[in-house]
Amino acid sequence: MKVKHIVSILCLLIAAAMIFAGCGAEQEPLAGSENGGSVSSGQGGEEQSSESSQASAAQRPTAGGVPAEIYDLCVEYPEGMTENEYNGMLGVYNYYTAAGTDLNICVSGLSADFELDAYIAKSVLASNSGVGALSDRVINGTTWRVSDNGKKLYMAAATDDAVYEVVLTRGSNAAEYEKMEDMVLETLWLK
């Protein structure tokens, strides 16, 4: 019981530190709502936006997990993970278990001269994840830059509006991590 309490407190402290530190080196504010959701360009009116949302929802992969929509990113995580109460502050989203299995998502605006590998090199989240050699991995039609050091799986991709960083942390429960990893990789999707 004491270990579970300590692990929960450590997860909250790490999430709080990430919130205060921000995700990347030079963040630009994102257009759209402050609490996540879709970011629209404002062109085409509500009718076009509604039609594209319906088309997008039909294409989005699902796995029966808890859905999270963060700007243009859709993903599902297993039921039973705790959602950090501060999700959305500074573009940081965290879902975790008492065993240390953790899903972190960070979204940041793009600078004018954005280059993904340069962004990753300066990213606090990437640094904290121990990112080593990066490789390309296509997940549901999007090419992500990926690094797996055995403890954390780090992934980053960019759209026209934002850069998305996703980190999966292996906790002490291997089955719990595998379920999360399978669900996240099956449903990770950029609109």
Side-chain angles (χ1 to χ4, degrees), residues 22-43:
C23 290
E26 296 178 24
Q27 298 182 9
E28 298 288 324
L30 294 172
S33 72
E34 291 181 24
N35 294 326
S38 296
V39 177
S40 66
S41 65
Q43 298 176 355

mmCIF file of all heavy atoms in Angstrom, residues 22-43:
data_model
loop_
_atom_site.group_PDB
_atom_site.id
_atom_site.type_symbol
_atom_site.label_atom_id
_atom_site.label_comp_id
_atom_site.label_asym_id
_atom_site.label_seq_id
_atom_site.Cartn_x
_atom_site.Cartn_y
_atom_site.Cartn_z
ATOM 1 N N GLY A 22 7.444 22.624 -19.515
ATOM 2 C CA GLY A 22 6.992 22.686 -20.903
ATOM 3 C C GLY A 22 7.546 21.504 -21.662
ATOM 4 O O GLY A 22 8.302 20.703 -21.122
ATOM 5 N N CYS A 23 7.196 21.374 -22.903
ATOM 6 C CA CYS A 23 7.624 20.208 -23.666
ATOM 7 C C CYS A 23 8.860 20.475 -24.505
ATOM 8 O O CYS A 23 9.796 19.731 -24.479
ATOM 9 C CB CYS A 23 6.499 19.740 -24.560
ATOM 10 S SG CYS A 23 5.155 19.025 -23.640
ATOM 11 N N GLY A 24 8.840 21.527 -25.272
ATOM 12 C CA GLY A 24 9.931 21.779 -26.203
ATOM 13 C C GLY A 24 10.643 23.061 -25.882
ATOM 14 O O GLY A 24 10.282 23.799 -24.978
ATOM 15 N N ALA A 25 11.634 23.330 -26.628
ATOM 16 C CA ALA A 25 12.448 24.507 -26.389
ATOM 17 C C ALA A 25 11.721 25.799 -26.755
ATOM 18 O O ALA A 25 11.649 26.716 -25.960
ATOM 19 C CB ALA A 25 13.743 24.395 -27.177
ATOM 20 N N GLU A 26 11.201 25.893 -27.974
ATOM 21 C CA GLU A 26 10.555 27.121 -28.421
ATOM 22 C C GLU A 26 9.142 26.801 -28.840
ATOM 23 O O GLU A 26 8.905 26.310 -29.923
ATOM 24 C CB GLU A 26 11.313 27.699 -29.626
ATOM 25 C CG GLU A 26 12.703 28.126 -29.291
ATOM 26 C CD GLU A 26 13.427 28.631 -30.516
ATOM 27 O OE1 GLU A 26 12.773 29.070 -31.468
ATOM 28 O OE2 GLU A 26 14.656 28.563 -30.508
ATOM 29 N N GLN A 27 8.179 27.058 -27.965
ATOM 30 C CA GLN A 27 6.802 26.734 -28.264
ATOM 31 C C GLN A 27 6.067 27.944 -28.794
ATOM 32 O O GLN A 27 6.254 29.051 -28.323
ATOM 33 C CB GLN A 27 6.088 26.240 -27.013
ATOM 34 C CG GLN A 27 6.682 24.976 -26.450
ATOM 35 C CD GLN A 27 5.913 24.503 -25.247
ATOM 36 O OE1 GLN A 27 4.849 25.007 -24.927
ATOM 37 N NE2 GLN A 27 6.462 23.542 -24.573
ATOM 38 N N GLU A 28 5.239 27.701 -29.814
ATOM 39 C CA GLU A 28 4.344 28.702 -30.347
ATOM 40 C C GLU A 28 2.946 28.324 -29.881
ATOM 41 O O GLU A 28 2.626 27.148 -29.795
ATOM 42 C CB GLU A 28 4.392 28.695 -31.882
ATOM 43 C CG GLU A 28 5.742 29.042 -32.442
ATOM 44 C CD GLU A 28 6.093 30.504 -32.272
ATOM 45 O OE1 GLU A 28 5.193 31.342 -32.371
ATOM 46 O OE2 GLU A 28 7.272 30.796 -32.033
ATOM 47 N N PRO A 29 2.097 29.298 -29.578
ATOM 48 C CA PRO A 29 0.746 28.955 -29.166
ATOM 49 C C PRO A 29 -0.015 28.319 -30.309
ATOM 50 O O PRO A 29 0.188 28.651 -31.473
ATOM 51 C CB PRO A 29 0.129 30.310 -28.789
ATOM 52 C CG PRO A 29 0.977 31.326 -29.461
ATOM 53 C CD PRO A 29 2.338 30.728 -29.605
ATOM 54 N N LEU A 30 -0.899 27.370 -29.958
ATOM 55 C CA LEU A 30 -1.708 26.689 -30.945
ATOM 56 C C LEU A 30 -3.012 27.427 -31.169
ATOM 57 O O LEU A 30 -3.547 28.045 -30.265
ATOM 58 C CB LEU A 30 -2.049 25.269 -30.472
ATOM 59 C CG LEU A 30 -0.873 24.321 -30.352
ATOM 60 C CD1 LEU A 30 -1.310 23.043 -29.692
ATOM 61 C CD2 LEU A 30 -0.307 24.026 -31.722
ATOM 62 N N ALA A 31 -3.524 27.310 -32.358
ATOM 63 C CA ALA A 31 -4.851 27.859 -32.632
ATOM 64 C C ALA A 31 -5.878 26.891 -32.073
ATOM 65 O O ALA A 31 -5.586 25.743 -31.836
ATOM 66 C CB ALA A 31 -5.048 28.007 -34.146
ATOM 67 N N GLY A 32 -7.091 27.343 -31.873
ATOM 68 C CA GLY A 32 -8.158 26.453 -31.426
ATOM 69 C C GLY A 32 -8.379 26.548 -29.941
ATOM 70 O O GLY A 32 -7.927 27.471 -29.276
ATOM 71 N N SER A 33 -9.051 25.556 -29.415
ATOM 72 C CA SER A 33 -9.423 25.597 -27.998
ATOM 73 C C SER A 33 -8.228 25.336 -27.107
ATOM 74 O O SER A 33 -7.298 24.645 -27.481
ATOM 75 C CB SER A 33 -10.508 24.561 -27.716
ATOM 76 O OG SER A 33 -9.970 23.266 -27.754
ATOM 77 N N GLU A 34 -8.292 25.865 -25.912
ATOM 78 C CA GLU A 34 -7.193 25.697 -24.963
ATOM 79 C C GLU A 34 -7.208 24.328 -24.321
ATOM 80 O O GLU A 34 -6.210 23.865 -23.803
ATOM 81 C CB GLU A 34 -7.282 26.767 -23.865
ATOM 82 C CG GLU A 34 -6.986 28.145 -24.374
ATOM 83 C CD GLU A 34 -7.048 29.173 -23.271
ATOM 84 O OE1 GLU A 34 -6.875 28.799 -22.104
ATOM 85 O OE2 GLU A 34 -7.279 30.339 -23.565
ATOM 86 N N ASN A 35 -8.320 23.647 -24.293
ATOM 87 C CA ASN A 35 -8.450 22.374 -23.582
ATOM 88 C C ASN A 35 -8.409 21.184 -24.519
ATOM 89 O O ASN A 35 -8.955 20.146 -24.233
ATOM 90 C CB ASN A 35 -9.758 22.353 -22.786
ATOM 91 C CG ASN A 35 -9.739 23.363 -21.680
ATOM 92 O OD1 ASN A 35 -8.696 23.619 -21.103
ATOM 93 N ND2 ASN A 35 -10.878 23.952 -21.391
ATOM 94 N N GLY A 36 -7.759 21.289 -25.635
ATOM 95 C CA GLY A 36 -7.665 20.176 -26.562
ATOM 96 C C GLY A 36 -8.798 20.245 -27.571
ATOM 97 O O GLY A 36 -9.412 21.265 -27.782
ATOM 98 N N GLY A 37 -9.094 19.111 -28.196
ATOM 99 C CA GLY A 37 -10.142 19.093 -29.192
ATOM 100 C C GLY A 37 -9.569 19.431 -30.550
ATOM 101 O O GLY A 37 -8.370 19.486 -30.740
ATOM 102 N N SER A 38 -10.428 19.663 -31.478
ATOM 103 C CA SER A 38 -9.983 19.919 -32.842
ATOM 104 C C SER A 38 -9.450 21.330 -32.989
ATOM 105 O O SER A 38 -9.929 22.249 -32.357
ATOM 106 C CB SER A 38 -11.155 19.726 -33.805
ATOM 107 O OG SER A 38 -11.567 18.388 -33.775
ATOM 108 N N VAL A 39 -8.483 21.473 -33.840
ATOM 109 C CA VAL A 39 -7.971 22.788 -34.204
ATOM 110 C C VAL A 39 -8.391 22.991 -35.647
ATOM 111 O O VAL A 39 -8.003 22.230 -36.524
ATOM 112 C CB VAL A 39 -6.435 22.827 -34.085
ATOM 113 C CG1 VAL A 39 -5.918 24.162 -34.538
ATOM 114 C CG2 VAL A 39 -6.005 22.532 -32.675
ATOM 115 N N SER A 40 -9.189 23.997 -35.916
ATOM 116 C CA SER A 40 -9.642 24.221 -37.284
ATOM 117 C C SER A 40 -8.987 25.466 -37.850
ATOM 118 O O SER A 40 -8.554 26.342 -37.118
ATOM 119 C CB SER A 40 -11.167 24.351 -37.323
ATOM 120 O OG SER A 40 -11.559 25.516 -36.624
ATOM 121 N N SER A 41 -8.941 25.520 -39.159
ATOM 122 C CA SER A 41 -8.306 26.655 -39.808
ATOM 123 C C SER A 41 -9.257 27.826 -39.943
ATOM 124 O O SER A 41 -8.847 28.908 -40.304
ATOM 125 C CB SER A 41 -7.813 26.239 -41.199
ATOM 126 O OG SER A 41 -8.927 25.915 -42.015
ATOM 127 N N GLY A 42 -10.548 27.587 -39.691
ATOM 128 C CA GLY A 42 -11.529 28.651 -39.801
ATOM 129 C C GLY A 42 -12.018 28.843 -41.225
ATOM 130 O O GLY A 42 -12.778 29.745 -41.499
ATOM 131 N N GLN A 43 -11.597 27.997 -42.150
ATOM 132 C CA GLN A 43 -12.033 28.121 -43.533
ATOM 133 C C GLN A 43 -13.121 27.093 -43.802
ATOM 134 O O GLN A 43 -13.084 25.991 -43.295
ATOM 135 C CB GLN A 43 -10.874 27.856 -44.490
ATOM 136 C CG GLN A 43 -9.760 28.844 -44.323
ATOM 137 C CD GLN A 43 -8.585 28.494 -45.206
ATOM 138 O OE1 GLN A 43 -8.579 27.481 -45.861
ATOM 139 N NE2 GLN A 43 -7.585 29.345 -45.216
#
